[in-house]
Amino acid sequence: MEEFTDIVGVAIANGTQWGYNATISANSSLTDGWLEVLVVKRFPIFKAGLMVGKLFSRRFQDSRYVSRFQARRVLLERGSPGPAQILGRLHPFTR
């Protein structure tokens, strides 16, 4: 099991796109039984535009600030409680 610290967010995808044609995981498949896990590491604020550009050019997962791997199951833990966005809705994340 791999641990990550100092991250901005985690995306777990079984499809390729979010809304508005933003491609979070260009290699995902709805039929292969795998989840694509993308861990977004903290990046300099001046690179935010570049990261958004990668979302709309199918290259987000290629960023050096994104670690990508496949899994059948995923366990997420955080150091302190806070919100989590799941399918566009905010939920409490206590563990």
Side-chain angles (χ1 to χ4, degrees):
M1 185 164 43
E2 192 165 350
E3 281 191 33
F4 294 92
T5 58
D6 202 26
I7 63 171
V8 174
V10 176
I12 301 171
N14 65 340
T16 58
Q17 294 185 344
W18 286 344
Y20 304 103
N21 293 321
T23 303
I24 188 64
S25 179
N27 300 321
S28 291
S29 169
L30 293 172
T31 60
D32 67 359
W34 289 96
L35 298 170
E36 302 290 323
V37 180
L38 294 99
V39 178
V40 183
K41 301 169 199 158
R42 190 166 309 280
F43 53 87
I45 191 70
F46 66 88
K47 293 199 175 190
L50 178 65
M51 295 298 284
V52 170
K54 287 180 180 287
L55 270 174
F56 291 95
S57 63
R58 301 180 61 88
R59 297 180 302 124
F60 187 75
Q61 74 277 354
D62 298 331
S63 169
R64 71 183 203 178
Y65 299 106
V66 175
S67 293
R68 177 188 162 273
F69 56 93
Q70 292 183 312
R72 294 213 187 265
R73 293 180 60 186
V74 178
L75 172 66
L76 297 176
E77 293 184 21
R78 61 184 289 166
S80 61
Q85 187 181 86
I86 302 170
L87 297 174
R89 294 191 176 128
L90 284 179
H91 297 273
F93 196 96
T94 58
R95 183 174 172 197

